[in-house]
Amino acid sequence: MMVKKVLHSLTLNGEEVQVATAAGATLLQTLREDLRILSSKRGCNQGVCGACTVLVDGTPVRACLTLTARCEGHAVQTMEGMDGDRVMATLQRHMVQSGGVQCGFCTGGVLISARDLLEADPTPSREAVKTALSGNICRCTGYRTIVDAVCGAAEELSQ
Amino acid sequence: MSLDQPEPIFVGGTVGQSVAKTDSLEKVQGRAEYIADLYRPGMLHGAILASPHAHARIRGYDLSEAMQAPGVVAIITGDDVGEGRMGAFIKDEHAIAKGKVLYVGEPVAAVAARTEEEARHACRLIKVDYEELPAVLSPEEGLARDAPILHEHLAEYIKVFDAGSDGNLCSRTELSEGDVDAAWADCDVIVEGEYTTQPQAHVSMEPCGALAEVDAAGRVTLWSANQSVFRVQANVCESLGLPMSRLRSLTPRVGAGFGNKMEPHIQPITVALAMKAMRPVKLILSREEDFEMVRARHPYRVRMKTGAKSDGTLVARECEVLVECGAFADDSPGVMGYSLLMCGGPYRIPHMKASGKLVYTNKLRFGAFRGFGNPQVLFAGEQQIDQIGEKLGLDPFTIRRRNLLRRGDQWFVGPRIGSNGLGRCLDAVEQAAKGARADGSPRNFGLAVTAHISGLLGTGAIVRMLEDGTISLNTGATDIGQGSDTVLAQICAEELKLPFDQVAVASPDTDGSPYNWGTTASRVTYTTGRAVKAAAKKVVDQAMDHAAEILDCDVADLELREGGRIGRHGSNTDVTFAQISGRAHWAAGGPLVGSETLVFDEPTHDPKRAIALGLPFPRIGVFSFAALGVDVDVDDTSGQVSVHEAWSAADVGRAINPRLVEVQLHGGFVQGLGYSLYEEMVWDGARLANPSLMDYKVPTARDVPDAIHTFIIEDPDPTGPFGAKGAGEIGLNAAPGAIANAVARATGARHAHLPLTGERVLAGMLDPGALQD
Ligand code: FES
Ligand code: FES
């Protein structure tokens, strides 16, 4: 098995990049192995845990299920490119304060899902938050402090 | 204190304040580095070939095709590792299968190649010649007279306690006090039953991994996902025959542990690969491999019998457990022994007998998992307490209060109880859970209580004052995300009266950190905290000596003031830590360093009181206590149980950081909820049938009640740092017992088998009598 590399062009965190990646690589593989973008985590590689969540054209996707070839010409955004995003900054601050960050392995994916929720629904109910986060597994917190953080951020942002 | 009324966060806070964890910011920004995020120059990637057989002799390997595969640099098999064996209690495990394979999924060979894909591809080209052997798939089979034997040389293995090993019997433990056999005659009511519990997977979100490299002199540096850099060092060196001075063990951030990263996983294999390749090698397990190769919670068969007087006073309990060990002993003898120590619960029971057998089987090793054998026996014991109460017309609170152990009492076989806030835990739960639901409907309430120890084994701390008067703290304790770096810094800062942010916590490093047995057994806050406090006190004492010389007065005239200053009583003049430390570094006395090491050394067993055979922990620690109430819903058509509301009250002595204690209670409860209701590793013959998150369900945000109320009860322990005791496991232990009691309340049926799936609960609803006792 000679690994064939293929060249792809995409926008990564606002910059045009060209990347040579294994044919058939997932976005998770390309981000981590070829671009050293490490905030997206391999928790299951099967689309279940949500630890690899990133934005493609502004929509959360599972990087482990997304082929890099499908991102040709599209905009990929990861936690590394979230500086200056007001909603994300607010969520991050609330997560730190609430104790919603324990081991942190799920945290990036959780925050990207939560940010997407707040973009669509700035004043979500607790139930809506839980539904929006139901694709992000956290084994540490029991979710309570994460839901608190998202609700707290929503409240602050909607003031 | 409860999260229902959020507390403000204090940024300069020390003991008792909910400061944010020191690693939170890097984690929310996606900048924290876990093992998979580390890269070294020239680094190769590893992959593992797993055994397809449960039990087979290895006749030989053909590596020729795999060696030719693209990108391959090195391959190791059992032929590359010596005769060394590792193990916490019984040294029965090679670095990689050697001579035999003992379970499906056991590592048989490993490849280092340029990329992970190439390494995985080459693994598939390795040919192993096996001679299949009959397998042992349950403890009952393992004890059968003609059972195939897993470890033919068990008698020769090194054991750290009197295990009584024989055939497939890995160890046995027998404990007793009083006279149980005679005591049954004094009982007015007796309940008994046989219970089974299922294997649970840890599912820490970060799969296990390691990265090893060898320097020019042949010394190894090893980073890995771990709960103890020191246990990693010991295990790798024992299994590979390396002097411990030849291996340096380090840790990146760890994506949680829960027990699965305490003892070895693939660190020895990664080191062996790096030594053979003479290049750095990183090996990260897939989720499936993490399920199949690491470890899991033990399935138990528990026979229990409890008797009481007509007024509810407990008289006797007998407990017999049969525990499945898996292929290697790992922490299993400790888990079984501990579960027997805990099987009486936090009650005064004058006559007790507990015995257990731990049996090797051809499955992955079972090992430490949050609770450490306590949830399994508690599932039986706390149901029996309720059943006795029901027979005598005593409510769950009354029957328990009537029998609680008190401060100064001795626990089963002997340990003396220090602080004990369990009565107050019960009060908190009763008060908060009383009455009906908000909509007026009655509750389906279940209660269980538990105790857990903290304190095991050796630990240390080194506190150094830097030139400018700020502090470096080094303990060797791996923070697995629960926040021990933060809590230990709080303890250190409090003792030195410094703002919390002036204490930097060093990352564990076997080259520079004092020994720390591990982040396990709810021990770090209590036992490492004690060492930190004592080491910080030594630095204060040294600083006092300097201040006395600078101010030309007696130490007795001096006081330590907030913010790192020392002054004379009644005078405003003082000297700063910076002045003192500068003087110490350059002029007099030498730099300020305080260090302390200790081991919890109160004996577990009181020979005047009890008989103990095969006790794996001669010294265990101090006791934390908790009460858990749950209110459940049961769906009439599916039998599905969901938790509507929960009340978790824990006596942790003193909460150094209340928010972090609360998150431990939340996280522990939810992990216990999954265990109680649906989590189950299922074997199809010898093969694990559900090694993926698609087929193994863990609770998601939608599966947990919003209303999990936590209550921190503080009954300071005289030996704990600022009174603190452990909090890591106590929130999980009681979940299966409390939920089973609530289900019995809701459906009228008692359940003896975990998990309480819809199917089981529905069967109980249709025929409650069939399942009882
Ligand atoms: S790694 Fe992509 S969902 Fe788990
Ligand atoms: S914080 Fe550890 S998995 Fe969520």
Side-chain angles (χ1 to χ4, degrees):
Chain A
M1 129 176 172
M2 240 4 241
V3 187
K4 210 173 122 232
K5 292 249 175 179
V6 187
L7 203 61
H8 290 292
S9 308
L10 45 88
T11 310
L12 175 64
N13 294 328
E15 277 176 42
E16 298 296 319
V17 295
Q18 286 219 322
V19 56
T21 194
T26 63
L27 181 58
L28 180 62
Q29 261 176 301
T30 306
L31 285 173
R32 293 187 59 87
E33 296 304 324
D34 301 310
L35 294 163
R36 291 287 192 278
I37 289 287
L38 300 172
S39 65
S40 178
K41 305 295 184 200
R42 186 175 88 183
C44 69
N45 217 27
Q46 268 194 324
V48 187
C49 75
C52 64
T53 308
V54 298
L55 297 174
V56 175
D57 298 334
T59 303
V61 301
R62 314 248 145 167
C64 70
L65 292 185
T66 306
L67 291 179
T68 305
R70 295 292 299 271
C71 300
E72 177 81 44
H74 292 273
V76 175
Q77 203 181 356
T78 68
M79 196 57 91
E80 284 84 348
M82 294 283 178
D83 282 3
D85 183 295
R86 180 165 155 266
V87 175
M88 183 55 86
T90 309
L91 279 164
Q92 286 169 329
R93 190 153 31 75
H94 280 266
M95 278 285 274
V96 168
Q97 291 178 355
S98 74
V101 188
Q102 292 285 297
C103 81
F105 205 76
C106 70
T107 305
V110 164
L111 285 168
I112 289 175
S113 299
R115 178 183 171 280
D116 188 59
L117 169 71
L118 297 193
E119 299 267 286
D121 177 2
T123 54
S125 65
R126 286 186 79 87
E127 278 315 304
V129 171
K130 286 162 95 174
T131 303
L133 297 181
S134 63
N136 293 88
I137 297 176
C138 175
R139 192 62 156 166
C140 299
T141 61
Y143 302 103
R144 168 65 188 272
T145 47
I146 293 177
V147 177
D148 288 346
V150 177
C151 292
E155 205 178 300
E156 184 185 324
L157 286 163
S158 61
Q159 268 160 17
Chain B
M1 187 181 306
S2 159
L3 270 188
D4 294 332
Q5 304 96 36
E7 289 290 304
I9 306 291
F10 299 90
V11 208
T14 47
V15 164
Q17 298 183 345
S18 292
V19 295
K21 264 167 9 100
T22 49
D23 56 0
S24 316
L25 211 53
E26 63 176 43
K27 286 176 174 175
V28 293
Q29 292 175 353
R31 290 155 61 147
E33 289 191 320
Y34 303 84
I35 186 64
D37 304 328
L38 302 189
Y39 289 81
R40 298 291 297 164
M43 186 182 87
L44 303 170
H45 295 261
I48 290 177
L49 174 69
S51 166
H53 301 298
H55 197 189
R57 217 167 284 291
I58 299 171
R59 281 197 291 234
Y61 310 91
D62 177 0
L63 309 179
S64 51
E65 204 183 331
M67 271 315 292
Q68 300 307 314
V72 172
V73 176
I75 301 179
I76 63 150
T77 68
D79 290 347
D80 295 278
V81 299
E83 292 301 322
R85 288 179 186 267
M86 59 189 167
F89 292 90
I90 297 175
K91 304 205 183 296
D92 62 359
E93 187 171 356
H94 288 301
I96 192 165
K98 187 175 172 69
K100 287 217 299 190
V101 289
L102 293 176
Y103 66 94
V104 174
E106 182 177 3
V108 177
V111 175
R114 274 177 322 201
T115 68
E116 185 180 338
E117 288 65 40
E118 286 172 331
R120 287 187 180 278
H121 171 70
C123 279
R124 292 193 286 273
L125 303 176
I126 295 172
K127 296 188 188 71
V128 183
D129 182 14
Y130 293 105
E131 173 195 338
E132 267 196 82
L133 301 169
V136 170
L137 296 178
S138 72
E140 290 84 355
E141 279 175 46
L143 292 177
R145 203 142 34 85
D146 304 326
I149 298 296
L150 275 78
H151 292 273
E152 289 99 342
H153 304 291
L154 179 56
E156 293 148 36
Y157 294 166
I158 297 167
K159 305 176 186 76
V160 305
F161 76 114
D162 164 27
S165 314
D166 182 23
N168 288 321
L169 181 70
C170 175
S171 69
R172 56 83 188 93
T173 299
E174 290 167 20
L175 312 172
S176 70
E177 62 183 43
D179 184 349
V180 171
D181 297 332
W184 300 120
D186 296 338
C187 297
D188 299 313
V189 44
I190 292 175
V191 292
E192 57 187 314
E194 184 168 322
Y195 305 79
T196 62
T197 66
Q198 82 284 22
Q200 183 186 21
H202 297 76
V203 196
S204 47
M205 288 317 301
E206 176 202 38
C208 289
L211 194 174
E213 72 181 33
V214 185
D215 71 13
R219 191 163 188 262
V220 180
T221 302
L222 169 63
W223 295 260
S224 68
N226 71 88
Q227 295 177 226
S228 167
V229 293
F230 295 92
R231 288 302 302 153
V232 169
Q233 182 187 44
N235 282 308
V236 172
C237 292
E238 281 173 11
S239 62
L240 297 179
L242 287 173
M244 284 167 76
S245 57
R246 288 276 295 278
L247 184 131
R248 178 183 184 196
S249 167
L250 299 162
T251 187
R253 293 294 179 204
V254 178
F258 313 119
N260 61 335
K261 294 171 181 167
M262 178 61 192
E263 290 296 325
H265 40 86
I266 42 126
Q267 294 101 337
I269 293 173
T270 311
V271 170
L273 267 181
M275 290 173 77
K276 186 140 183 196
M278 284 313 290
R279 304 245 307 257
V281 176
K282 179 165 79 174
L283 205 171
I284 307 294
L285 294 185
S286 69
R287 176 56 61 188
E288 293 71 18
E289 290 167 334
D290 197 72
F291 268 105
E292 287 168 342
M293 276 177 201
V294 183
R295 54 179 59 75
R297 188 191 297 283
H298 298 83
Y300 264 56
R301 180 174 295 278
V302 180
R303 245 190 294 267
M304 195 177 275
K305 181 173 173 183
T306 310
K309 295 277 201 198
S310 57
D311 66 354
T313 311
L314 295 171
V315 176
R317 173 169 282 178
E318 190 171 343
C319 174
E320 195 186 316
V321 299
L322 183 62
V323 181
E324 180 164 2
C325 181
F328 302 107
D330 200 54
D331 270 330
S332 297
V335 171
M336 183 177 73
Y338 181 67
S339 66
L340 296 176
L341 279 173
M342 305 311 282
C343 74
Y347 303 114
R348 287 176 171 163
I349 309 179
H351 305 282
M352 288 270 304
K353 188 150 101 181
S355 63
K357 288 186 174 143
L358 174 71
V359 186
Y360 284 121
T361 58
N362 291 111
K363 296 205 192 135
L364 94 162
R365 49 172 113 69
F366 295 100
F369 191 154
R370 197 182 209 171
F372 211 72
N374 210 340
Q376 290 97 323
V377 290
L378 190 150
F379 171 63
E382 282 298 275
Q383 289 203 76
Q384 294 199 342
I385 298 296
D386 260 31
Q387 286 170 286
I388 288 173
E390 282 158 18
K391 286 184 199 263
L392 298 173
L394 298 171
D395 73 76
F397 290 96
T398 307
I399 176 91
R400 287 177 174 79
R401 284 202 182 97
R402 196 152 289 177
N403 290 288
L404 291 187
L405 282 164
R406 308 282 169 190
R407 176 190 281 259
D409 283 352
Q410 279 176 286
W411 189 271
F412 182 35
V413 316
R416 183 84 54 192
I417 293 167
S419 73
N420 182 348
L422 182 52
R424 286 161 60 200
C425 293
L426 280 169
D427 295 345
V429 171
E430 185 173 36
Q431 185 63 29
K434 76 166 175 252
R437 292 184 183 177
D439 67 2
S441 59
R443 295 194 188 283
N444 297 313
F445 182 79
L447 178 70
V449 297
T450 180
H452 210 85
I453 54 104
S454 47
L456 278 177
L457 305 182
T459 201
I462 300 170
V463 175
R464 292 188 299 132
M465 191 179 283
L466 306 176
E467 284 171 51
D468 64 354
T470 60
I471 297 294
S472 167
L473 169 64
N474 193 349
T475 69
T478 300
D479 187 333
I480 56 176
Q482 88 287 25
S484 55
D485 282 355
T486 305
V487 164
L488 296 175
Q490 287 181 266
I491 291 170
C492 187
E494 179 81 26
E495 190 68 17
L496 286 153
K497 293 201 177 167
L498 278 177
F500 160 74
D501 62 2
Q502 294 196 16
V503 178
V505 180
S507 185
D509 176 348
T510 55
D511 273 4
S513 300
Y515 182 78
N516 193 303
W517 175 55
T519 303
T520 188
S522 305
R523 68 189 285 280
V524 174
T525 297
Y526 172 76
T527 197
T528 309
R530 284 172 69 184
V532 169
K533 187 167 185 291
K537 172 76 168 57
K538 288 179 181 172
V539 169
V540 170
D541 290 346
Q542 293 166 25
M544 285 284 192
D545 290 341
H546 280 275
E549 285 171 26
I550 296 168
L551 296 171
D552 194 18
C553 67
D554 222 54
V555 169
D557 297 333
L558 294 174
E559 64 189 10
L560 178 65
R561 294 176 183 160
E562 294 291 336
R565 314 179 80 86
I566 295 175
R568 287 176 83 140
H569 294 296
S571 131
N572 284 336
T573 38
D574 52 21
V575 289
T576 64
F577 280 1
Q579 288 170 293
I580 289 170
S581 197
R583 178 178 189 262
H585 274 80
W586 314 119
L592 271 54
V593 180
S595 76
E596 174 77 2
T597 64
L598 58 92
V599 60
F600 187 89
D601 54 8
E602 301 270 327
T604 305
H605 178 212
D606 174 355
K608 287 201 291 293
R609 183 183 174 91
I611 297 167
L613 183 69
L615 190 66
F617 292 119
R619 291 160 284 274
I620 51 174
V622 298
F623 292 82
S624 298
F625 295 90
L628 175 69
V630 295
D631 176 9
V632 303
D633 285 315
V634 180
D635 185 279
D636 312 331
T637 51
S638 66
Q640 211 111 69
V641 178
S642 55
V643 176
H644 177 78
E645 199 162 352
W647 301 267
S648 177
D651 164 26
V652 297
R654 174 90 190 270
I656 305 293
N657 184 317
R659 178 63 43 90
L660 294 181
V661 172
E662 285 163 347
V663 181
Q664 282 304 306
L665 297 181
H666 291 158
F669 173 69
V670 169
Q671 208 165 32
L673 179 153
Y675 177 52
S676 304
L677 297 182
Y678 37 76
E679 289 187 37
E680 179 166 18
M681 296 169 83
V682 178
W683 271 264
D684 177 8
R687 183 174 296 273
L688 181 61
N690 58 344
S692 86
L693 290 175
M694 289 202 194
D695 300 314
Y696 183 96
K697 178 178 166 57
V698 298
T700 70
R702 273 157 57 116
D703 302 317
V704 303
D706 212 29
I708 303 175
H709 311 281
T710 55
F711 307 89
I712 294 174
I713 304 299
E714 296 186 312
D715 190 5
D717 189 275
T719 61
F722 303 102
K725 306 186 282 193
E729 292 162 280
I730 195 109
L732 186 149
N733 288 345
I739 292 174
N741 282 336
V743 168
R745 172 77 69 100
T747 65
R750 282 278 156 202
H751 286 271
H753 309 289
L754 280 182
L756 302 172
T757 56
E759 218 175 0
R760 284 194 172 124
V761 173
L762 192 63
M765 289 159 83
L766 297 175
D767 187 4
L771 297 169
Q772 272 179 355
D773 294 348

